[in-house]
Every structure is written in structure tokens, then in C-alpha cells.
């Protein structure tokens, strides 16, 4: 019996697909990485019985990066990143050990079926999976085919079974176009970002962004926002005048007429027209025309239109909307949400999709009427040759999807029903009047057939007052004629919906990457999202764009990136050579980079006007160990210390507070220590600004505080305050936080584990002795007599935090409250465990019978 390995893009998709193909008759188990499951069943494959193993990856298996030494900002000239710096594929998430997992499951398999998402990124992941799996699969006999690709657009029984019966091959060209985009974005983005970040953060203290990033797509996206800002700033309002007339066809109602000249910008001319028309006593009907007009139903829904509506009507950011759409797709509620197509293929089962919606109380009546009267063929849209338009694939309720999930699903469903509904028809009546020599018009609309506007009421024709019945030559008394003074108004800031339209029009990014680029300019503090989801550029965003315009406008204009996107599409179609496109584009940007570096003074002049130099920013905090003068603490991102006398800047841990640590000094360099804290419920540790940036010992890395310092005698070091191995992570050491009294705690110097102990103790010290059982350092605790929890009213006790029965009820494990989800305590791996290589109490071999409270808690949390 042959063994067939099948791989999907996400664990939830693997489960859904396996359920459909096995008809629910499958066994499931967890994979070795814990994140992915393996679903097994038997069936037939190309006419032979086979054992199927269905599993998944979690997005990209590999990511592109420079090799080790080129990741150092300090040692590498950014210009080298364009050609000299070699790149390598690394595991995208090393913790998932995805390559090892795929090899374990793929070993001994005869065939592989790739169920990755059917877009360019999906094709790229196909080849990442093949690189991992093919070497360990059974060798094919002769010319036997072993690699298959499933093409599908939704997670429905019909679509999945159809894909299984019509297996194709993965597309190497589409995968190469993604590789090219990744390499271009990495090399160009890193070179410009590293140069401008180091240059400007070394000079200015209040930029309030930890990274001054450049991206071939991100920067033109920001350019659109700043271009609109500039139009608003340079706008000069003009006064104009409008003639408004009202006639009274019937005694009760009056009718407001629109002037055919619309408006005039000269006050005296406007006054003249007013005087002429005031001479007339009656308005004469010059013509009456009636026309039947049609408001077309919408085109089928593609990604860009969905993101536009989500932002403009539902108030959801593009990134958030895309995440919800992906969730709805993996759960089988909608078809694949990344598509540029607005045209349904001829064989698409429109009625089948519509029948699914026949019982929903919100639109059941409309759907049943369409099914009985017959549906309209959707309008002919654009066929990009990727996936069908976004379509609801099964019925859902608000209770099932909840909140934003339901709101997006409801819009997608209403849009789909509208595409197969009739157009909206209405009768438009236009009456033309003359008052003296001037012409005025009045327009009225009456809906004759609402069509698709029943299901999309926000598109309906607004109800207007009905026009009086009249004929040419009729006279009506004039109610009033007046002159209205108005002013032209500036455009508003771009909405996300307008920005998405501009990006699509100019070919910036793809339907999949547009939300990412918009999210990036918000994250980098280049724009802020105002009410109505309008994007207002910050000072930093404005200065950067103006600087690019001053030096080289092509860096910010959409033209060059649009041309690159076209070349990448040609690679995907097999019409352009991958290496030639890469070489040519990098050569252009390398020349631009050198010119940018030579001309940076132009941008710097603009920066000087808007931002303060480092020396003038921040507040004095701690003394420099070289000149013994005060260094200034700059709070704006990225927070750092700057000594204006030595002209040195020292980076600090981010996302927390920094204060002076008791005016104590580092024994190595005489710098005053500072204390970093993530808040009262989080962790805190002291650090020496100089050692944090220039590690003093070989086994230390940049970015380590005193809780990871291996100095043998310093009272703040890991050697003196380390208690034992962390109860959760592999490489961490629990270190006493000597500033935490009277609510004493020890915290892991790698992960966010905190152990609270000995509340209200007067003193807690780490003893030189170690525990005989677990080799952790012993702790000396001194309580006040009135508050001592020790037996027999004792005030002092020395013992092991993990093993001593006296301490058992005084210890509590928690997780630190971090200010930022991305925060990690330290960097780098060290093998030293501090004093006494404290082991996890109870050992790892027997988690069922923990020796004490710490082990019980550890077993629970793990």
C-alpha cells in the first residue's frame, strides 16, 4: 500500500480537508512540534489503495535573511547589502522545528499532495515543503510521478473532492517571483533603513520611532498620504456665490431650483444676476423630460473592494479585515479571500451558493424570490485567472461568527446576492425653468424597480419630494430668490479606502500585501489613524517624504515600484528571467542608494527644522563612567542615554520605565547603574549602560542586564543573585530582584516567569550554600517578629526555595505582565545557570508526582 503525505497551509485547513476526504473516518494525533496535527485514513489514490497522512505547516516554512555577520548594524556598510552580502534561507519560526517535523512525517512516503493556498505565496511555500520532504521520501520507480498540487478556492465538499480528482503540478515560476520580491525587499529595505536610522537617531532625540524604515512599497504608500497633506496645507479657500430660487407650484409646498451656471466667483456679477432675476415675477417651464435610468448591480467582490468597504463602511482596518476574512475562509464560510478577479467562471454554481442562504431571516425572502423567478447572470468583470470572486459558501448566524466576523460575512453575503439580483430602475424627471434670462433646473427620481438595492439598502435611491405635474409653458409664482455666499473647502485627509484605491491604481503591492504596507506606516509612527479611518501623516512621515522628494523623487513616487511589480509578474508568467530582473533592479537601487547617501544633507536640513538634536533632548539621569558628567535620558522611541560631553549614545531595554538605581556604580567601568522595570506586576532588573552596549565577558551578548552578567563578585550580577534554573524555559535562571521588597520576587532572566515569595520579609539574601537535592542556591530570609509566618515565632530561616517544607506555602509562580507582546527579557543563549545549576524540582522524568508546590505549579503551567 502506498503512503501519501498531504500538506495544507494551516492546521485548521488540514483538519477540514482531511474530514472531507475521509468522510469523517480518520484518526488524529499531535505532531512532534505540538503546533500541527496529523490526520490519517485509508482510501484510494489514482486507482490504488493508499494510506493518507494529512498535516500542515503554519504559513512560510523558511524566511530569507543575510548570513550571520551581515546582520550586525555596526560592522557592515549598508551599501554591501545590495550585492556582496550573501543571503540564506532560515526557518521562519525555529521554535516550531517545522523542517524536522515535515521530514519525520515525510520519511518513507511514496507521494506528496500539496494543499497550500492557491496564490503566489502558496506556490512558494510548496517548494519550501518539497525542499524539506523530497530528500527523505521513497525514491520513485523510473519516471513515476510523486509530486502533486491541489487547486481549490473554497473549503467545501464539492471543491475539495474536485481538486483531489484533478491534481496538477506546483508552479516554479510563481514561486520564483515571490523569491525575487523577498530578496529585493530585504536588500533594498535593509540598506536604506539601516543607513537613515543610524544617521538620524545619532543626531536627533525626539523622532519617536525606533526605526526610520524605508520600503519599496511602504514609502510610496506614505507618499500618497503626505501628498494629500500637502494639498490641504497649500489650499487657499475662495469665496463664491450661488443663486438660489424657490417656486411655489402649490400653495403649501415650495420647490428649490438649482442654477444652471452653478456658481460665480465675482460678487458684483452675482449681484447683477440677482437683480435681473428679481425683476421677474414668475418662473416659466421651458421643458419637461422623463427618462428611465438604471443603477447597475455591483461587480462580483474581489479583495481590494472588500478591504475598501470594510474600512469605509464597517470601520475595520485592512489588516484586521484580512485576518477575519482568512478565518472565515478556513472555517469554510467564504471562498478564498485573496483574489483580483471580479468575474464568475461559466461553470460556477451560483444557484447552489444562493440556496445555502435561503433560511437566513435577514435575506430569506429576497433569496427565495430570486430562486423562484430566476437569477440574473452577474455582470462581466475582470478575470485575473487566479480565484473566483469572494463568495459565501455556507450559511451562518450572528451567534456562530460573533462581532466583526458576522459583520464582514453579512456584507460579503449581501454583496453576492446583489450580484445575481436585477439592476435598480428609476424614472428621472428633469424640469427646466427660466426666470428672466437665467435658467434653473429641478430633478426628481422615482424608483420603478428596486432590484439589488433591496439587499443593499445603502445603495438605494434617496426618497425625494415628488415633482409637480407640469407642461412646457406653465407659469409658477416665485417664492424667493437669494444669493448664497460660500467658500471652497480643502480636500480631507486620505481614508484607508481611498489609499487602497490609489495603491491598486498605481500597482503598489498586491491584494495580499496592501494591508501590510498600510499597517507598517501606522506602526512606524509615520501616520496616525484619525476618526473616520483617515490617515494623517506625523511630522516624521512628512519630513521623510519631503526629504526623498528633495533628493530623489523616484524613491517615493509609485512609478519605479510599479515597474518592478510588472517585472515580477513577468517572472510568474515565465516571460522574464529571475536572475536578470534581480540584478537589474538591485543595480538601479544601488546607484540610487549611493546618491542618497551623498545627498543626505538635503534631508538633514528638513530634519533640523522639525526635530531637536540629541544634546538638547531628554532629562539628566545618570553619570557617564568616562567623564563623570550627567547623561540625558531620552524617553522618545527608541529610549536611550546620551552623553553630550563624550558624544556617545547608549541604547536601553524598550517598553518599560528607566530610573536611577540608588546611585550605585558598575565595578568595571564606573557608569552609574539604572533600573529597568515593566511595571509593578512585571519584572525589573538593574543594568550598566556601558556593559549593556559593550558586553564585558565572552559569554555575554549585547542587550544583557546585570541579571545576566557573569561578573564573579559584583553584588548585582547573576553569579551573586542567581538562585536556580527557571521552572519553565531551557536556558533561563531565576534571579532575586533585590529591589522588590517587601513584596519579594525572583524573575527568570530569559522568559517572563516570576516567582513571588516571602511577602513582608525584612531581608532576603542569596546564600553561598547550595541545596543537596536540587543544587539551587539557598536563601536567607529575615522576617519582622510581628509579621513572621515561620513556625515557632522564628524570624530567620535559611533554606531552598524549591525543596524546603518551611518555605512551601510562601512561594507563588506567576507570569510577568509585559508592556508589549513582543518584549523578551534578554537576548542570546547562555549555558551558565548561575550559582548551583538548579534543576527543576521533581525532575522532568516524573511530572505526575511533583515533590513540592513549585514543581506542581511548573507542571501545571507547562
Amino acid at each position: 500500500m502506498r503512503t501519501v503525505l498531504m500538506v495544507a497551509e494551516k492546521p485548521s485547513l488540514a483538519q477540514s480537508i482531511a474530514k472531507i476526504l475521509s468522510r469523517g473516518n480518520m484518526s488524529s494525533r499531535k505532531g512532534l512540534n505540538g503546533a500541527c496535527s496529523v490526520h490519517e485514513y485509508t482510501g484510494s489514490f489514482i486507482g490504488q489503495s493508499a494510506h493518507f497522512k494529512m498535516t500542515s505547516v503554519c504559513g512560510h516554512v523558511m524566511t530569507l535573511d543575510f548570513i550571520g555577520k551581515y546582520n550586525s548594524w555596526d560592522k557592515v556598510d549598508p551599501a554591501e547589502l545590495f550585492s556582496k552580502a550573501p543571503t540564506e534561507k532560515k526557518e521562519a519560526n525555529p521554535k516550531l522545528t517545522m523542517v524536522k517535523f515535515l521530514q519525520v512525517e515525510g520519511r518513507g512516503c511514496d507521494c506528496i499532495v500539496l494543499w497550500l493556498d492557491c496564490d503566489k505565496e502558496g506556490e512558494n511555500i510548496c517548494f519550501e515543503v518539497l525542499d524539506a520532504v523530497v530528500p527523505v521520501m521513497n525514491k520513485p520507480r523510473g519516471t513515476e510521478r510523486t509530486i502533486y498540487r491541489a487547486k481549490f478556492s473554497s473549503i467545501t465538499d464539492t471543491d475539495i473532492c474536485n481538486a483531489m480528482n484533478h491534481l496538477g503540478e506546483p508552479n516554479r515560476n510563481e514561486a520564483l517571483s515571490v523569491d525575487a520580491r523577498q530578496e529585493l525587499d530585504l536588500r533594498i529595505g535593509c540598506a536604506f533603513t539601516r543607513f537613515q536610522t543610524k544617521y538620524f537617531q545619532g543626531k536627533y532625540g525626539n523622532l519617536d520611532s525606533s526605526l526610520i524604515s524605508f520600503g519599496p512599497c511602504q514609502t510610496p504608500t506614505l507618499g500618497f498620504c503626505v501628498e494629500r497633506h500637502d494639498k490641504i496645507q497649500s489650499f487657499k479657500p475662495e469665496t463664491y456665490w450661488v443663486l438660489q430660487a424657490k417656486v411655489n407650484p402649490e400653495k403649501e409646498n415650495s420647490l428649490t431650483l438649482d442654477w444652471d451656471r452653478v456658481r460665480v466667483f465675482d460678487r458684483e456679477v452675482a449681484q447683477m444676476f440677482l437683480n435681473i432675476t428679481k425683476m421677474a415675477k414668475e418662473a416659466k417651464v421651458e421643458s419637461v423630460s422623463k427618462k428611465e435610468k438604471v443603477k447597475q448591480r455591483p461587480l462580483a467582490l474581489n479583495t481590494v473592494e472588500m478591504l475598501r468597504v470594510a474600512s469605509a463602511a464597517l470601520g475595520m482596518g485592512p489588516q484586521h479585515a484580512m485576518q477575519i476574512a482568512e478565518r472565515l475562509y478556513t472555517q469554510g464560510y467564504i471562498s478564498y479571500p485573496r483574489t483580483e478577479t471580479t468575474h464568475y467562471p461559466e461553470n460556477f454554481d451560483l444557484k447552489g451558493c444562493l440556496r445555502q442562504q435561503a433560511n437566513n431571516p435577514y435575506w430569506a425572502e429576497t433569496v427565495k424570490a430570486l430562486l423562484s423567478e430566476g437569477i440574473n447572470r452577474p455582470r462581466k468583470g475582470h478575470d485575473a485567472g487566479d480565484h473566483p470572486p469572494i463568495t459565501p459558501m455556507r450559511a451562518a448566524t450572528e451567534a456562530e461568527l460573533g462581532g466583526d466576523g458576522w459583520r464582514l460575512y453579512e456584507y460579503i453575503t449581501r454583496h453576492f446576492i446583489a450580484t445575481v439580483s436585477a439592476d435598480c430602475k428609476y424614472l428621472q424627471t428633469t424640469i427646466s425653468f427660466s426666470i428672466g434670462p437665467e435658467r434653473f433646473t429641478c430633478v426628481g427620481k422615482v424608483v420603478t424597480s428596486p432590484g439589488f438595492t433591496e439587499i443593499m439598502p445603502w445603495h438605494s435611491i434617496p426618497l425625494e419630494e415628488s415633482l409637480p405635474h407640469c407642461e412646457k409653458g406653465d407659469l409658477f409664482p416665485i417664492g424667493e430668490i437669494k444669493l448664497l455666499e460660500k467658500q471652497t473647502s480643502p480636500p480631507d485627509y486620505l481614508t484607508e479606502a481611498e489609499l487602497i484605491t490609489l495603491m491598486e491604481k498605481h500597482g503598489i503591492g498586491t491584494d495580499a500585501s496592501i494591508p501590510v504596507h498600510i499597517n507598517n506606516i501606522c506602526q512606524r509612527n509615520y501616520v496616525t489613524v484619525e476618526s473616520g479611518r483617515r490617515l494623517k501623516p506625523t511630522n516624521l512621515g512628512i519630513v521623510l517624504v519631503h526629504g526623498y522628494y528633495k533628493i530623489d523623487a523616484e524613491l517615493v513616487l509609485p512609478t519605479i515600484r510599479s515597474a518592478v511589480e510588472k517585472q515580477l509578474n513577468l517572472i510568474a508568467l515565465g516571460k522574464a528571467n529571475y536572475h536578470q530582473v534581480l540584478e537589474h533592479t538591485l543595480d538601479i537601487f544601488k546607484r540610487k542608494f549611493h546618491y542618497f547617501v551623498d545627498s543626505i544633507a538635503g534631508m538633514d536640513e528638513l530634519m533640523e527644522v522639525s526635530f531637536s538634536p540629541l544634546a538638547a533632548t531628554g532629562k539628566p539621569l545618570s553619570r557617564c563612567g568616562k567623564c563623570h558628567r550627567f547623561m540625558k535620558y531620552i524617553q522618545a522611541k527608541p529610549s536611550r542615554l546620551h552623553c553630550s560631553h563624550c558624544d556617545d549614545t547608549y541604547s536601553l531595554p524598550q517598553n518599560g520605565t528607566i530610573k536611577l538605581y540608588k546611585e550605585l556604580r558598575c565595578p568595571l567601568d564606573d557608569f552609574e547603574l539604572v533600573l529597568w522595570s515593566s511595571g509593578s506586576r512585571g519584572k525589573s532588573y538593574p543594568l550598566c549602560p556601558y556593559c549593556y552596549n559593550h558586553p564585558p565577558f565572552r559569554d555575554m551578548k549585547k542587550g544583557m542586564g546585570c541579571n545576566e552578567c557573569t561578573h564573579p563578585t559584583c553584588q548585582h550580577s547573576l553569579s551573586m543573585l542567581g538562585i536556580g534554573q527557571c521552572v519553565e524555559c531551557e536556558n533561563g535562571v531565576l534571579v532575586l530582584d533585590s529591589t522588590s521588597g517587601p513584596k519579594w520576587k525572583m524573575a527568570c532572566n530569559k522568559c517572563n516567569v516570576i516567582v513571588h515569595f516571602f511577602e513582608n520579609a525584612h531581608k532576603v539574601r542569596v546564600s553561598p550554600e547550595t541545596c543537596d537535592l536540587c543544587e539551587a542556591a539557598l536563601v536567607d530570609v529575615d522576617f519582622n517578629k510581628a509579621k513572621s509566618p515561620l513556625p515557632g515565632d522564628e524570624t530567620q530561616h535559611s533554606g531552598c526555595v524549591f525543596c524546603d517544607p518551611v518555605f512551601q506555602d510562601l512561594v507563588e509562580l506567576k507570569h510577568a505582565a509585559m508592556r508589549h507582546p513582543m518584549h523578551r527579557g534578554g537576548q542570546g543563549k547562555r549555558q551558565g545557570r548561575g550559582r548551583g545549576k538548579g534543576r527543576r524540582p521533581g525532575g522532568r522524568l516524573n511530572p505526575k508526582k511533583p515533590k513540592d508546590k513549585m514543581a506542581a505549579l511548573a507542571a501545571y503551567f507547562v
Side-chain angles (χ1 to χ4, degrees), residues 515-549:
V516 178
H517 302 313
I518 295 176
N519 191 50
N520 280 346
I521 62 171
C522 298
Q523 298 275 303
R524 299 277 186 266
N525 194 31
Y526 294 162
V527 299
T528 55
V529 182
E530 306 287 307
S531 64
R533 300 210 68 84
R534 294 191 178 276
L535 301 169
K536 185 178 180 181
T538 61
N539 226 354
L540 178 60
I542 295 163
V543 171
L544 278 176
V545 169
H546 289 175
Y548 294 133
Y549 271 120

Side-chain angles (χ1 to χ4, degrees), residues 171-409:
N171 187 325
R172 169 71 73 180
N173 290 327
E174 288 195 357
L176 281 174
S177 77
V178 173
D179 282 338
R181 179 183 279 110
Q182 283 178 353
E183 188 161 341
L184 289 174
D185 288 354
L186 176 74
R187 290 184 182 278
I188 297 165
C190 282
F192 278 92
T193 298
R194 287 186 193 184
F195 171 70
Q196 58 189 31
T197 300
K198 285 186 74 176
Y199 186 89
F200 291 121
Q201 284 190 344
K203 290 192 75 172
Y204 302 102
N206 56 343
L207 297 175
D208 204 23
S209 181
S210 44
L211 208 63
I212 314 296
S213 65
F214 174 93
C217 285
Q218 173 195 302
T219 305
T221 304
L222 173 63
F224 291 131
C225 300
V226 175
E227 186 186 5
R228 177 60 65 88
H229 167 84
D230 292 343
K231 280 182 182 170
I232 294 168
Q233 295 302 308
S234 60
F235 184 84
K236 289 188 172 66
E238 281 188 89
T239 307
Y240 65 90
W241 287 266
V242 176
L243 209 54
Q244 190 189 71
K246 285 185 180 178
V247 296
N248 300 329
E250 292 150 17
K251 283 182 180 170
E252 301 83 40
N253 300 333
S254 68
L255 205 60
T256 305
L257 311 183
D258 296 319
W259 191 23
D260 283 12
R261 291 184 198 271
V262 184
R263 59 186 181 181
V264 292
F265 286 89
D266 188 312
R267 170 77 209 238
E268 288 180 4
V269 172
Q271 189 64 47
M272 178 195 76
F273 283 127
L274 178 68
N275 295 341
I276 292 170
T277 50
K278 275 199 165 177
M279 288 176 179
K281 295 283 180 284
E282 290 176 313
K284 183 183 178 185
V285 176
E286 294 293 336
S287 66
V288 179
S289 68
K290 292 191 178 190
K291 263 187 189 170
E292 191 162 271
K293 293 210 165 186
V294 171
K295 186 172 186 175
Q296 282 191 308
R297 59 191 181 280
L299 282 167
L301 187 64
N302 67 1
T303 308
V304 169
E305 181 61 20
M306 179 188 75
L307 295 177
R308 267 199 292 253
V309 173
S311 174
L314 306 178
M316 292 182 205
Q319 184 100 333
H320 178 54
M322 206 66 228
Q323 285 166 351
I324 291 168
E326 281 176 358
R327 195 181 78 226
L328 291 173
Y329 159 67
T330 55
Q331 291 170 342
Y333 289 109
I334 63 170
S335 63
Y336 193 59
R338 297 183 194 278
T339 177
E340 294 173 18
T341 297
T342 57
H343 177 72
Y344 281 106
E346 292 302 316
N347 60 355
F348 193 90
D349 184 11
L350 293 164
K351 278 191 175 173
C353 292
L354 199 58
R355 275 192 207 101
Q356 295 276 350
Q357 303 298 334
N359 295 320
N360 189 301
Y362 289 104
W363 43 73
E365 281 183 27
T366 310
V367 170
K368 283 171 183 166
L370 279 170
L371 289 169
S372 64
E373 292 162 19
I375 62 169
N376 284 288
R377 187 85 207 141
R379 284 168 58 196
K380 194 170 175 61
H382 166 66
D383 186 359
D386 49 0
H387 287 270
I390 303 166
T391 311
M393 299 314 290
R394 66 185 173 100
T397 62
E398 192 169 353
E400 268 175 76
L401 302 181
D404 288 348
W406 166 254
R407 290 166 66 223
L408 190 62
Y409 173 83

Side-chain angles (χ1 to χ4, degrees), residues 7 243 562 752 842 846:
V7 185
L243 209 54
S562 183
N752 64 347
N846 187 12

